[in-house]
Amino acid sequence: MQRYKNTGGDSGVVAYDIDAGQIIVQFRNGERYLYTEDSAGAANIARMQALAQAGHGLGSFISQHVYDRYVRKINSRKLD
């Protein structure tokens, strides 16, 4: 997983992992969610990947556009 830069300073996102057509997002509480083109739409995945790499806006985008459109929750440990 790549650490999320969080340039705004107030994101709940701490890390992400990008692969073709998908993104895994990890939040402060340690929860990780897998979003795919099938679950969230190709345009949304592309936008999430761009926001993740930019380090800004990913948490807000998720809460406003794809909140519960994940494929599954992945067991994980909390990142400090």
Side-chain angles (χ1 to χ4, degrees), residues 34-52:
L34 169 64
Y35 295 88
T36 67
E37 290 179 347
D38 288 338
S39 70
N44 286 330
I45 295 300
R47 182 72 176 141
M48 291 169 71
Q49 291 174 340
L51 292 169

Side-chain angles (χ1 to χ4, degrees), residues 26-69:
Q26 183 165 348
F27 295 91
R28 262 188 245 156
N29 65 2
E31 302 290 347
R32 291 191 301 168
Y33 295 87
L34 169 64
Y35 295 88
T36 67
E37 290 179 347
D38 288 338
S39 70
N44 286 330
I45 295 300
R47 182 72 176 141
M48 291 169 71
Q49 291 174 340
L51 292 169
Q53 291 172 326
H56 185 78
L58 181 57
S60 295
F61 184 86
I62 290 170
S63 66
Q64 293 172 8
H65 301 283
V66 297
Y67 180 76
D68 61 353
R69 293 173 62 186

